[in-house]
């Protein structure tokens, strides 16, 4: 996967990027666009073809043709006690109408904000320059295709004259910093100031050392600003920033205080953007009114990812793994003294170090005592949020330099600590952590060439909620290189993206689910931009179209594939899914080929605003919106009101598909 840029005009990449993130299972909650919240009750057979059965309140059932799976959305919740809607009742229609109005208002605010930003006069930063060449020459490796594509996109943004607002996503070690260095060198070399914002003093120090080293010899001035600086030193940095005598400043939240001012701020780089809350981002927006913004993360928060996927923010993804990098082996195990002893002593025996992570400061003492009892020969360091900033920095720096076998910590080690010798992590009470938070923690190990191991240790599994079990199972499954973006999509699917123009960074209407909420938002954005709504054509073809049981024998897998097929939004998506299915299950039988042919016809028709497709052995018909019939028509096509007809011998399904395609070609040519 290379650099991905979302179409900021239409947001059409949302459904492609936000594929159904997890498999469907019988009993999962699903939302039908017309009927509301139901429960997936498995697959059934009707009229010789497979259908999806949904259960609603009072035991009512709805059979949904597999060709209409696009009307169904995973809810994402494991709350088995959530009340289902009444099939045919009015409550869902009222709730849906209210939500659509709210989403429409949010979309209008987003579009107005985006247009205001695009209209604002922004510094034009040319992509070349001596500083950029100097930084590129100092890179010891060859840029990956992902990196080069992201660099090109960012430098193009800076030179465009409109405000850059780009999210750069990539796992630890995939080269985000190198991409940001090119942008920093371009901006500072062009004479504007650059602010690099990081969440911890440790990360600020690492960035400061990197920038000082890589920009040496360019004549650019680099400085740092954090709560560890003596008051006099901090005042000096702020005075020089205000006077324009500092080109690049790296800092923590200290950069966001009213006391910090810039002479000519042109670019802000936000590292670990998921660590900053909404209040911090509000203050950041005050700084960015005349500046370009580049945000970096391995696991974007749901709100940020949603904005990138719907086209409010540009998106670049680094998915090429570093050379010789191994995925972190991840497993669940019981929390026992024997497991602690084996894992920690094995790591020391191979010359490495270990992290032990607990969810709360209150858990530190018990964990310390347990480690001391299980591994009395290991040296232990402890860090948590109650330590002073200087003590915290000293402890973490000492461990990074090799002093200590085990670092017992809370989640404050989530970012900014680079310990190449650390290759084992034990997470205690993992059910108390979020999905992407666990992945961020896991990213602290495996930075060297040794195989890294992450163990999720629980005292017992019987007290876990269904959501916690799903989170941990997902983390174990998604343990390959570059899993951060996939996990973030799953997190968005589970938690929702919140109101992108409001205060919430995640969340959704509890009974509609995040996936449908995101689709409604994408549609509302199209309308707010004055673009036509995307149609969902009705398809009536006399053909058996499904995944035969003999071809895909697991019913939940078939249901998952039907749902993914229903939510494909481009012919490219459809081609990718076709390739995946044939790779997994072999050549497609006729009924499955027909399923994909119908999906392709529907996609083409939707792009043209067609309202319906139907076919029989003697005539095929296409229904168009009022006033949309092309003129003149080819001799083979006739018109009946808003319906285009082609008569002929279409005895088999292949002939009907070909005839429908020809009429769609006529409409496309007329539009062109």
């Amino acid at each position: 996967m290379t650099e991905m840029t979302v179409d900021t005009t239409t947001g059409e990449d949302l459904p492609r990027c936000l594929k159904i993130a997890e498999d469907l299972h019988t009993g999962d909650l699903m939302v039908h666009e017309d009927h509301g919240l139901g429960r997936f009750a498995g697959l059934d057979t009707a009229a010789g073809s497979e259908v999806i059965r949904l259960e609603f309140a009072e035991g009512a059932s709805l059979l949904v043709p597999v060709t209409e799976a696009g009307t169904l959305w995973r809810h994402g919740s494991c709350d088995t006690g959530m009340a289902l809607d009444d099939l045919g009742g009015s409550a869902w229609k009222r709730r849906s109408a209210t939500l659509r109005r709210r989403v429409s208002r949010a979309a209008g605010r987003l579009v107005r904000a985006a247009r205001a930003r695009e209209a604002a006069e922004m510094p034009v930063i040319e992509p070349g320059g001596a500083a950029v060449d100097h930084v590129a020459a100092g890179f010891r490796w060859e840029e990956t295709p992902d990196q080069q594509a992201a660099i090109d996109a960012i430098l193009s943004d800076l030179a465009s004259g409109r405000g850059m607002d780009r999210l750069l996503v990539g796992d630890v070690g995939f080269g985000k910093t190198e991409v940001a260095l090119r942008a920093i060198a371009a901006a500072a070399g062009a004479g504007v100031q650059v602010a690099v914002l990081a969440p911890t003093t440790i990360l600020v120090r690492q960035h400061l050392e990197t920038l000082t080293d890589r920009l040496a010899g360019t004549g650019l001035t680099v400085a740092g600003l954090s709560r560890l600086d003596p008051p006099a030193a901090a005042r000096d940095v702020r005075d020089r920033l205000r006077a324009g005598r500092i080109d690049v400043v790296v800092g923590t939240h200290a950069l966001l205080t009213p006391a910090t001012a810039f002479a000519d701020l042109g670019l802000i780089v936000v590292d670990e953007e998921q660590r900053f809350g909404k209040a911090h981002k509000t203050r950041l927006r005050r700084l960015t009114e005349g500046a370009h913004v580049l945000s970096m993360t391995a696991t974007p928060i749901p709100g940020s990812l949603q904005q990138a996927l719907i086209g409010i923010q540009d998106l670049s993804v680094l998915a090429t793994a570093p050379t010789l990098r191994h995925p972190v082996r991840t497993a669940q195990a019981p929390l026992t003294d024997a497991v602690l002893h084996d894992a920690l002593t094995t790591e020391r025996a191979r010359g490495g170090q270990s992290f032990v992570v607990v969810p709360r400061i209150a858990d530190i003492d018990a964990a310390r005592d347990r480690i001391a009892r299980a591994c009395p020969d290991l040296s232990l360091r402890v860090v948590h949020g109650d330590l002073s900033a200087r003590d915290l920095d000293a402890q973490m720096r000492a461990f990074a330099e090799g002093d200590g076998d085990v670092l017992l910590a809370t989640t404050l080690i989530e970012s900014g600590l680079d310990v190449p010798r650390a290759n084992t992590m034990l997470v205690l009470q993992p059910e108390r952590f979020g999905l992407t938070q666990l992945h961020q923690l896991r990213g602290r190990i495996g930075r060297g060439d040794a195989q890294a191991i992450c163990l999720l240790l629980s005292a017992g599994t019987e007290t876990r909620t269904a959501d916690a079990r799903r989170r941990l199972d997902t983390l174990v499954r998604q343990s390959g290189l570059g899993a951060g973006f996939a996990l973030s999509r799953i997190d968005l699917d589970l938690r929702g993206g919140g109101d992108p123009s409001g205060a919430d960074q995640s969340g959704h209407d509890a009974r509609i689910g995040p996936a449908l909420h995101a689709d409604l938002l994408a549609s509302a954005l199209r309308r707010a931009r004055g673009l036509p709504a995307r149609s969902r054509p009705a398809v009536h073809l006399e053909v058996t179209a499904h995944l035969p049981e003999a071809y895909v024998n697991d019913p939940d897998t078939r249901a998952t594939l039907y749902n993914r097929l229903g939510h494909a939004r481009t012919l490219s998506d459809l081609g990718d899914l076709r390739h995946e299915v044939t790779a997994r299950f072999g050549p497609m039988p006729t009924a499955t080929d027909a399923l994909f042919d119908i999906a392709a016809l529907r996609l083409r028709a939707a792009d043209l605003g067609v309202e319906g497709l139907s076919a029989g052995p003697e005539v095929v018909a296409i229904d168009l919106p009022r006033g949309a019939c092309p003129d003149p028509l080819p001799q083979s096509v006739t018109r009946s009101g808003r319906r285009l007809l082609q008569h002929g011998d279409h005895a088999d399904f292949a002939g009907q598909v070909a005839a429908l395609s020809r009429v769609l070609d006529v409409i496309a040519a007329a539009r062109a």
Side-chain angles (χ1 to χ4, degrees), residues 547-617:
L547 295 159
E549 185 176 355
Y551 184 54
V552 180
N553 58 21
D554 179 64
D556 286 350
T557 301
R558 295 203 301 279
T560 299
L561 292 172
Y562 289 139
N563 207 224
R564 288 181 58 190
L565 185 66
H567 290 288
R569 287 295 185 270
T570 68
L571 293 174
S572 175
D573 293 347
L574 208 57
D576 290 344
L577 185 56
R578 181 186 283 271
H579 177 76
E580 177 186 332
V581 170
T582 54
R584 290 174 64 183
F585 305 106
M588 288 185 180
T590 301
T592 305
D593 258 330
L595 190 68
F596 276 80
D597 287 341
I598 291 171
L601 284 171
R602 189 194 297 272
L603 285 176
R604 286 200 64 200
D607 288 339
L608 295 170
V610 167
E611 294 180 344
L613 304 170
S614 58

Side-chain angles (χ1 to χ4, degrees), residues 374-529:
C375 311
D377 297 333
L378 299 185
S379 60
L380 179 69
R381 287 186 174 274
V382 180
V383 296
H384 52 75
D386 280 352
L387 294 178
S388 70
R390 294 192 183 281
D391 287 344
L392 178 64
D393 188 70
Q395 290 284 349
M396 294 175 76
R397 181 180 293 202
F399 185 73
E401 292 172 352
D403 187 357
D405 298 312
V406 179
L407 183 69
L408 173 61
T410 55
T411 58
L412 56 81
I413 66 163
E414 185 179 333
S415 63
L417 188 63
D418 190 359
V419 186
R421 288 181 54 221
N423 290 300
T424 291
M425 174 174 285
L426 310 182
V427 182
L428 311 190
Q429 304 177 63
E431 61 275 3
R432 291 182 176 270
F433 296 87
L435 180 60
T436 55
Q437 187 177 39
L438 286 168
H439 181 68
Q440 283 286 142
L441 287 167
R442 182 170 62 181
R444 297 302 100 201
I445 60 175
R447 298 185 171 209
D449 55 7
Q451 177 62 61
I453 300 169
C454 177
L455 295 181
L456 311 173
L457 305 181
S458 298
T461 59
E462 65 279 354
T463 58
R464 288 183 187 168
T465 65
D467 278 336
R469 287 195 297 272
R470 180 172 289 191
R471 277 200 310 275
L472 300 184
D473 291 345
T474 298
L475 187 78
V476 172
R477 290 198 309 271
Q478 297 281 353
S479 58
L481 295 171
F485 188 60
L487 287 170
S488 296
R489 291 189 316 206
I490 293 171
D491 204 30
L492 174 59
D493 185 44
L494 295 174
R495 294 169 57 196
D499 178 356
S501 66
D504 295 330
Q505 299 195 102
S506 65
H508 54 88
D509 182 283
R511 292 180 56 76
I512 197 170
L516 178 54
H517 182 277
D519 186 71
L520 292 176
L521 180 59
S523 297
L525 281 167
R526 287 185 61 87
R527 292 192 298 273
R529 289 167 171 143

Side-chain angles (χ1 to χ4, degrees), residues 12 16 36 97-98 116 120 131 134 162 176 181 188 204 215 233-234 298 301 335 344 435 451 475 484 523 527 625 633:
E12 281 300 295
R16 175 165 61 85
T98 299
H134 179 88
R162 68 176 184 87
K176 297 189 298 295
L181 274 167
V204 165
L215 294 177
I301 60 172
L335 175 56
L344 298 178
L435 180 60
Q451 177 62 61
L475 187 78
S523 297
R527 292 192 298 273
L633 293 174

Side-chain angles (χ1 to χ4, degrees), residues 79-354:
D79 182 2
T80 56
M82 188 174 290
L84 305 181
D85 279 312
D86 292 319
L87 185 61
S90 60
W92 165 252
K93 289 183 172 58
R94 291 196 303 270
R95 190 166 63 251
S96 176
T98 299
L99 178 67
R100 288 172 190 274
R101 287 194 297 270
R102 190 163 70 240
V103 168
S104 181
R105 289 194 295 269
R109 290 192 295 268
L110 287 170
V111 169
R112 288 192 294 274
R115 286 174 176 165
R117 184 173 181 83
E118 290 173 358
E121 190 172 328
M122 302 293 284
V124 175
I125 298 169
E126 297 299 334
V132 176
D133 294 341
H134 179 88
V135 168
F139 189 45
R140 291 180 293 169
W141 296 274
E142 184 177 352
E143 294 84 358
T144 66
D146 296 354
Q147 281 182 306
Q148 191 58 60
I151 290 168
D152 292 344
I154 290 168
L155 294 182
S156 176
D157 288 347
L158 295 176
S160 69
R162 68 176 184 87
M164 177 177 72
D165 188 6
R166 183 171 288 271
L167 180 65
L168 177 63
V169 179
D171 268 4
V172 173
F174 277 46
K176 297 189 298 295
T177 300
E178 184 61 31
V179 172
L181 274 167
R182 309 299 174 89
I184 292 168
V192 297
Q193 291 175 302
V194 180
V196 181
L197 181 63
T200 66
T201 56
I202 294 288
L203 192 53
V204 165
R205 186 178 66 244
Q206 290 184 3
H207 282 321
L208 185 59
E209 291 172 354
T210 299
L211 284 163
T212 300
D213 175 58
R214 295 291 298 280
L215 294 177
T218 63
L220 299 174
T221 305
V222 183
L225 186 63
S226 77
R227 59 178 177 166
L228 294 184
D229 296 327
R235 281 195 301 273
D236 177 64
V237 169
R238 288 190 170 102
D239 288 344
R240 288 190 291 144
L241 275 175
R242 194 177 296 110
R245 298 200 304 273
I246 291 176
D247 300 300
V248 182
V249 62
V250 188
T252 57
H253 305 77
L255 290 177
L256 301 177
T257 65
T260 305
F262 296 82
D264 185 16
L265 182 61
L267 171 66
I268 296 178
V269 178
V270 184
D271 196 12
E272 302 282 6
E273 68 88 32
Q274 80 284 354
R275 296 290 300 275
F276 293 95
K278 200 73 174 184
H280 297 138
K281 291 178 180 178
T282 298
R283 291 200 292 272
L284 180 64
R285 278 199 297 270
R286 291 202 299 266
L287 289 176
T288 60
E289 289 180 356
H292 300 283
V293 180
L294 174 64
S295 302
M296 304 191 297
T297 181
T299 52
I301 60 172
S304 295
L305 182 58
Q306 176 176 264
Q307 291 199 49
L309 295 181
I310 63 179
I312 298 301
Q313 204 174 11
D314 289 323
L315 176 65
S316 293
V317 178
L318 306 183
T320 304
T323 305
L324 303 180
R325 184 77 181 271
H326 305 289
V328 177
R329 290 179 183 167
T330 306
Q332 301 181 64
L335 175 56
T336 65
D337 287 356
V339 170
L340 283 173
H341 177 272
D342 288 349
L344 298 178
T345 57
T346 297
E347 184 57 57
R348 187 179 69 167
R350 64 172 178 167
Q353 296 171 284
S354 301

